[in-house]
Amino acid sequence: MRILILNADYPRFLSWLYRRHQGLENAPYAAQMAVRNASLFGVADFYSRNFAGLGHVAADIHVNNAWMRAAWAKEHGVAVTEPAPPGAPAARDAIPGWLQRAVAPFKPVLRPLARKVGLSPRLDAEAEQVLLAQIEEFKPDLVLNQDLFHVDTRLARRIKGIGRPILIGQVGISPSRGEDWSVYDLMISQMGAVVDFFRAHGARAEVVHLAFEPAILDVLPPPPSQSYDVTFVGAVSADHQARVAQLEAVARRYDLKLFGSGLHTLPASSPLHRCYQGEVWGVEMYQALRASRVTLNSHIDMAGREAGNARLFEATGVGAFLLTDFKDNLHTLFSEREVAAWRTVEDCLAMIERYLTEDAARLSIAKAGQVRTLAAHTFRRRVEDILAFVD
């Protein structure tokens, strides 16, 4: 099959990427894609490379990358407006979009999350024109849409009209009510509650968890020489009240290093300000995890009783010792020999104390967690699951 994966990147990441690689916006489309994937941020090309590894032809489109879009259009004779240079106000100040369209029907606690990640609104007419031209050119048999907010059901129907490909949508939260999801042949999510949402609205849906790409281990630089006692890599905001309470308690007792975003949403009195190390993306994120004696995980509040965020697999995949929040389904992903799980803040503090001193136990769990992830939680396994659902 010919398989096309649609995705979108945080504008904050794009700004970082193009600042780091001066002049990249003027490079050919393939060169920009190669640099984007080499960053290892998000899912990079992990789905497409594993579809290809199973004998399919697969490609990615980052639907909100204006510079990559302009490069493709120029190479294919499609006239588009020249995008603002990276760092210019028009490129930097993206309007938060799924705040407007996907988050508005939900409870207010989600709205700061949309502002934090800075996702853009749905694609404008010119961006849609280029995307549809890219799809026409590729002629996919299957489209995996991982951004239901930029590529909404209206645009999905236009995509479905190009050769009638199998259309799969992937999302981690329940999207807007009132949408007609019948355009999709299958919806997938790492959250059972989201799967239940789609089934209740008449769509076929299945659980497909997030994953780790083992090839990362072959391209990461050597493990950092420095080490951190305790780290957390991720966001803090009003959508993470349990996480913030946990991390603040840890910060009062241990030398916590906090990497991520959203610190500006916390009061000045929060002890997390003195822990902050800045944002890390892709390779730098993995290196921060590898440098940690104990790395923490806690899910966003809306996850409820379900485990399934990317940090579970990213941390264990690179061999870090993971201390995560207990969830009812955690045992279906990892055993107590593969990750450590806390149930209360006091429990978390006691486990940090224990595993900072019990090196053999900590290293044993870290090793077992990595073995489990490399055996059961890879993108190859997830791609096989997806293909089995549409076979």
Side-chain angles (χ1 to χ4, degrees):
M1 287 195 295
R2 297 180 63 80
I3 300 173
L4 193 58
I5 297 93
L6 307 182
N7 214 328
D9 281 322
Y10 295 164
R12 293 170 69 90
F13 163 73
L14 290 176
S15 177
W16 171 88
L17 182 71
Y18 283 83
R19 283 199 314 270
R20 172 162 289 200
H21 299 276
Q22 292 295 318
L24 179 61
E25 69 274 15
N26 301 315
Y29 179 81
Q32 293 190 48
M33 181 68 79
V35 171
R36 162 61 187 88
N37 289 337
S39 75
L40 304 183
F41 173 67
V43 299
D45 62 343
F46 304 151
Y47 281 97
S48 58
R49 73 167 66 181
N50 281 285
F51 280 121
L54 293 172
H56 303 280
V57 177
D60 300 274
I61 297 176
H62 295 277
V63 300
N64 69 329
N65 187 321
W67 305 289
M68 204 180 291
R69 179 193 311 133
W72 188 93
K74 181 178 180 181
E75 293 165 18
H76 289 80
V78 178
V80 295
T81 305
E82 191 71 22
R92 188 175 64 242
D93 301 329
I95 300 170
W98 63 276
L99 167 65
Q100 298 176 16
R101 296 168 36 257
V103 178
F106 292 91
K107 51 190 178 182
V109 72
L110 290 181
R111 294 172 190 159
L113 177 63
R115 290 192 293 271
K116 169 181 64 62
V117 300
L119 286 172
S120 302
R122 76 182 190 184
L123 301 180
D124 61 27
E126 187 174 272
E128 286 191 9
Q129 175 195 4
V130 175
L131 174 60
L132 294 173
Q134 289 175 295
I135 293 170
E136 288 269 15
E137 192 265 346
F138 187 78
K139 295 180 173 57
D141 301 301
L142 186 155
V143 175
L144 173 58
N145 178 21
Q146 298 186 303
D147 194 286
L148 272 61
F149 307 111
H150 286 88
V151 183
D152 58 14
T153 52
R154 175 197 53 82
L155 182 52
R157 282 183 171 77
R158 297 188 68 184
I159 293 170
K160 187 75 169 178
I162 302 174
R164 307 298 299 176
I166 298 168
L167 190 54
I168 301 176
Q170 183 172 19
V171 66
I173 65 170
S174 298
S176 302
R177 299 179 184 277
E179 296 278 354
D180 180 3
W181 300 103
S182 62
V183 66
Y184 284 94
D185 299 284
L186 175 67
M187 305 301 298
I188 59 176
S189 176
Q190 72 271 28
M191 306 302 290
V194 176
V195 168
D196 291 341
F197 169 90
F198 283 116
R199 289 175 176 172
H201 288 79
R204 183 187 176 201
E206 302 288 348
V207 171
V208 175
H209 279 285
L210 303 179
F212 177 75
E213 175 50 53
I216 287 173
L217 300 174
D218 298 326
V219 298
L220 284 177
S225 56
Q226 82 276 23
S227 64
Y228 309 117
D229 279 351
V230 188
T231 65
F232 176 78
V233 181
V236 291
S237 75
D239 304 295
H240 306 96
Q241 294 183 27
R243 175 184 296 175
V244 170
Q246 174 224 7
L247 293 177
E248 289 184 337
V250 172
R252 293 186 183 99
R253 187 175 300 185
Y254 299 101
D255 184 19
L256 173 68
K257 303 298 184 185
L258 173 64
F259 302 86
S261 62
L263 195 68
H264 65 280
T265 66
L266 303 184
S269 59
S270 173
L272 296 182
H273 287 281
R274 62 176 169 79
C275 305
Y276 190 54
Q277 307 296 304
E279 292 182 321
V280 286
W281 307 98
V283 172
E284 294 179 357
M285 179 202 70
Y286 289 116
Q287 293 296 79
L289 294 172
R290 296 168 96 194
S292 309
R293 297 175 70 198
V294 173
T295 195
L296 302 172
N297 183 40
S298 66
H299 289 73
I300 192 170
D301 296 339
M302 67 177 296
R305 301 303 308 165
E306 289 189 82
N309 64 12
R311 198 173 301 106
L312 285 169
F313 310 109
E314 292 165 344
T316 54
V318 295
F321 170 84
L322 183 65
L323 178 55
T324 188
D325 48 345
F326 175 82
K327 298 291 183 181
D328 292 344
N329 69 325
L330 182 62
H331 69 281
T332 67
L333 301 171
F334 294 97
S335 76
E336 61 185 9
R337 300 186 307 276
E338 297 161 343
V339 299
W342 56 272
R343 288 171 168 78
T344 66
V345 171
E346 293 73 20
D347 192 24
C348 178
L349 295 174
M351 296 180 88
I352 292 173
E353 183 71 24
R354 173 189 172 188
Y355 287 112
L356 284 179
T357 56
E358 296 183 11
D359 291 350
R362 184 183 71 249
L363 295 173
S364 176
I365 291 173
K367 179 61 177 177
Q370 186 178 41
V371 168
R372 176 66 177 271
T373 290
L374 296 181
H377 301 310
T378 64
F379 279 94
R380 176 61 61 90
R381 294 290 295 270
R382 304 305 188 237
V383 161
E384 290 171 344
D385 290 341
I386 291 169
L387 291 172
F389 287 132
V390 299
D391 188 13

